[in-house]
Structures are given as C-alpha cells and as structure tokens.
Amino acid sequence: MSLPLLPTISTFFIVLSAVLVAIGWVLVIQRKIEAHKKTMIAAAISALIFFIIYASRTIFIGNTAFGGPDDIKIYYTIFLIFHITLATTGAVFGIVTIVLGLKNNIAKHRKIGPITSVIWFFVAITGVAVYLLLYVFYHGGETTSVIKAIIGG
C-alpha cells in the first residue's frame, strides 16, 4: 500500500499542531509562560502549514472522493461535514486566542484558550479519521481539480 504524499504530510502537521497545543497547555499550567507562548506559536505555524498544503492540493490537484462502500458514504459525508465545521470553528477560535495572548489580554485569553484547545484536539482526531477513511482503510476515489472543474478540462 502506497500512501499519498501531500495528504500524509498535511495530516502530520495537523497532528503536530495538536501535540504542540497539549505541550503548551502543560507549560502554562507550570507557569512557564515564555515557553508556552513559543510552543503555541509553533502549533499555529504547524496548523498554517497544514492549511497551505491542504488548500494548495485542493486548488491544484483536487479533492479525493470517498472510495469506500456506497452504503457508508453518507456516514462519511456527515462525519466530514462535522470535521470541516470543527476545523473552521477551531481556526477562528485559534486566531482569536493567539491575538488575545499576543495583545496581553490575559483574562480573555485564559477564558477562551482551553475551549480552543479542546476544539483543536477534536479537529486533529477527526482529521486523522478522515485521512484513514480516505487513504488507509479504503482506496481514495476520484480526485478532481477545482481549477479543472472551473475552467473545464
């Protein structure tokens, strides 16, 4: 079995971001504020690298359709919508949380940070599940480029 390069790399970066968030959580509990800040910035950069790879692949290569059995496709689709909703929410929360921290608005940062972290853990877990369903448990279906879909080709 050969795993697709870009989806594998992008999934690695989303998992790395979640691991870094967990480490950052431990650091802040230990009152290692500067290490927490650096770790959380690294987590954000890792998530951004994921997004750049994902968006580039989606635009230039395309999205891979679910290649598993038709009778579970609806469940995969619902799960995927849940993951995308979580990821979008997590990204917005992440940006707000980082901005609050960098602006030293610690009261609001402390309030929203744990919520953001939990959302992000679920994003990473569901992202890995999507990856496994698309590329490991089943062979991916057709991949269609967004550009090809728009301009025809």
Side-chain angles (χ1 to χ4, degrees):
M1 172 179 65
S2 169
L3 295 175
L5 184 62
L6 291 178
T8 303
I9 293 170
S10 65
T11 301
F12 165 80
F13 277 105
I14 208 63
V15 170
L16 177 61
S17 74
V19 169
L20 289 168
V21 167
I23 292 168
W25 221 0
V26 171
L27 290 169
V28 81
I29 289 168
Q30 295 173 344
R31 300 280 185 237
K32 296 178 181 175
I33 304 305
E34 199 54 37
H36 165 76
K37 180 179 176 180
K38 289 177 182 174
T39 303
M40 294 313 236
I41 290 171
I45 291 169
S46 178
L48 183 61
I49 291 169
F50 157 81
F51 182 74
I52 290 167
I53 294 169
Y54 174 80
S56 298
R57 182 178 184 275
T58 298
I59 292 167
F60 297 110
I61 298 170
N63 278 327
T64 302
F66 180 66
D70 285 341
D71 58 334
I72 65 169
K73 185 175 182 178
I74 186 66
Y75 301 109
Y76 168 80
T77 303
I78 292 167
F79 185 79
L80 181 62
I81 291 167
F82 174 71
H83 167 70
I84 292 168
T85 304
L86 264 182
T88 304
T89 304
V92 172
F93 268 71
I95 291 166
V96 170
T97 304
I98 290 167
V99 168
L100 288 171
L102 292 174
K103 287 188 170 187
N104 231 14
N105 190 337
I106 302 306
K108 288 184 181 175
H109 180 78
R110 280 183 179 166
K111 216 176 230 187
I112 196 173
I115 296 165
T116 304
S117 298
V118 170
I119 292 169
W120 203 248
F121 295 141
F122 280 104
V123 168
I125 291 165
T126 58
V128 169
V130 168
Y131 172 82
L132 291 172
L133 288 166
L134 274 183
Y135 304 109
V136 177
F137 299 150
Y138 305 106
H139 292 289
E142 183 181 351
T143 299
T144 306
S145 168
V146 172
I147 291 174
K148 283 183 186 174
I150 292 170
I151 63 173

